[in-house]
Amino acid sequence: MSNTDTDTAPRKILVLGATSGIAEATCRIWAAEGARLFLVARNAERLAAVAADLRTRGASYVDTAVADLDDTDRHPALLAHAVNSLTGMDIAYLAHGILGDQAKAEQDFNAAAQIIYTDFMAPVSLLTWLANFCVQRHAGTLAVISSVAGDRGRRSNYLYGSAKAGLSEFLSGLRNRVDREGVTVLTIKPGPVKTAMTFGVKGSYRFADADAVAASIARAIDKQRDVLYVPFRWQPIMFVLRHLPERVFKKLSL
Ligand SMILES: NC(=O)c1ccc[n+]([C@@H]2O[C@H](COP(=O)([O-])OP(=O)(O)OC[C@H]3O[C@@H](n4cnc5c(N)ncnc54)[C@H](OP(=O)(O)O)[C@@H]3O)[C@@H](O)[C@H]2O)c1
């Protein structure tokens, strides 16, 4: 674990997309540790419910802001307000995202652009500010949820996958830049997880449980890991998928 103050002070954690199923489960772990939390989400009612729940679970401080994170012009003011409210920041956790409608995005560039904007452009905007904040202090962890979908483009979700691929590569470069400044960048690559995003998807009963995924994420942050495949089995699966030759891969219906 790392703190900007002392090893016993509650950690100061900024959560972007705090009503996400995975983020909420992770926040429950941090609340039980007595963390200070600043939560950002766009649904005011659900955000208030999540905040109230985390207070009862032991968070030492919870503040919130309602924001559509596609509004990148608002990011600098929003983030400055968040770190001011937390009186610093040890961890920024980026969890917001959309799966989008792949079939629609194949026909309609506006639908494709929406996926790219929410899943790539908005995180790049947030991370630009957050990385510079951390570099100035030579401390901090930027934990960002990308996806195994970004490891290789597949016909079933290549718009979402390409946005996440861009995000994973951005994080790789950012890590390479800020590691020497004492800043940790964790790229989180979940396989399918049971959350609102995958509700009703065929076979979703077999998907990973959000609480188990959250526990792995919290551990990876504590250990200052670089990349996390979660559940772990997705690491060898994606290794194989990434290395399949195109002449084989293009015949598969994935
Ligand atoms: N579930 C999976 O199988 C899976 C697998 C790999 C990676 N991931 C990634 O994990 C992260 C969390 O997803 P999840 O599974 O927890 O799904 P989720 O419960 O559907 O959470 C997604 C969250 O993103 C928020 N969001 C979307 N667009 C936003 C915007 N413009 N401004 C503010 N908030 C916005 C949503 O808010 P609203 O509720 O207001 O829409 C929602 O709270 C995402 O980045 C996702 O891509 C998920």
Side-chain angles (χ1 to χ4, degrees), residues 17-23 41-43 46 67-70 95-98 118-119 145-148 160 164 190-198 207:
T19 53
S20 111
I22 297 173
R42 64 180 169 183
N43 181 321
R46 289 197 40 231
D68 182 337
L69 292 171
D70 284 348
H96 83 285
I98 55 168
T118 301
D119 291 343
I145 308 186
S146 184
S147 173
V148 294
Y160 173 76
K164 291 295 194 180
V193 185
K194 276 183 238 161
T195 63
M197 185 174 277
T198 54
F207 292 177

Side-chain angles (χ1 to χ4, degrees), residues 29-62:
I29 296 169
W30 290 327
E33 294 170 2
R36 291 170 65 81
L37 300 167
F38 191 98
L39 312 175
V40 180
R42 64 180 169 183
N43 181 321
E45 209 175 313
R46 289 197 40 231
L47 179 60
V50 170
D53 177 61
L54 295 172
R55 285 187 191 104
T56 65
R57 288 173 186 272
S60 56
Y61 175 83
V62 183

Side-chain angles (χ1 to χ4, degrees), residues 226-242:
D226 296 321
V227 179
L228 172 72
Y229 282 86
V230 57
F232 176 75
R233 65 176 177 276
W234 285 96
Q235 185 163 345
I237 292 170
M238 295 319 296
F239 180 86
V240 172
L241 268 190
R242 270 200 319 274

Side-chain angles (χ1 to χ4, degrees), residues 99-250:
L99 191 54
D101 183 338
Q102 169 70 27
K104 190 171 177 206
E106 287 172 16
Q107 308 300 326
D108 172 3
F109 171 69
N110 289 327
Q114 178 64 65
I115 298 171
I116 303 290
Y117 202 86
T118 301
D119 291 343
F120 179 65
M121 302 288 277
V124 167
S125 165
L126 293 165
L127 288 162
T128 299
W129 194 97
L130 291 165
N132 291 329
F133 176 85
C134 291
V135 164
Q136 277 172 13
R137 284 152 191 78
H138 300 286
T141 296
L142 305 172
V144 185
I145 308 186
S146 184
S147 173
V148 294
D151 277 16
R152 188 147 194 190
R154 293 180 293 129
R155 61 185 283 174
S156 58
N157 70 353
Y158 65 82
L159 260 314
Y160 173 76
S162 55
K164 291 295 194 180
L167 180 58
S168 295
E169 290 307 310
F170 176 86
L171 293 170
S172 173
L174 183 66
R175 179 182 304 110
N176 197 237
R177 173 191 146 205
V178 301
D179 178 70
R180 64 207 70 190
E181 307 287 347
V183 181
T184 302
V185 176
L186 170 64
T187 307
I188 301 158
K189 296 185 176 186
V193 185
K194 276 183 238 161
T195 63
M197 185 174 277
T198 54
F199 183 76
V201 172
K202 204 172 145 203
S204 59
Y205 66 92
R206 284 183 279 132
F207 292 177
D209 186 69
D211 287 320
V213 167
S216 297
I217 292 171
R219 265 196 310 275
I221 291 172
D222 290 349
K223 290 183 176 167
Q224 299 187 303
R225 296 263 311 271
D226 296 321
V227 179
L228 172 72
Y229 282 86
V230 57
F232 176 75
R233 65 176 177 276
W234 285 96
Q235 185 163 345
I237 292 170
M238 295 319 296
F239 180 86
V240 172
L241 268 190
R242 270 200 319 274
H243 289 88
L244 279 182
E246 282 295 343
R247 76 189 137 73
V248 176
F249 194 73
K250 71 184 180 183

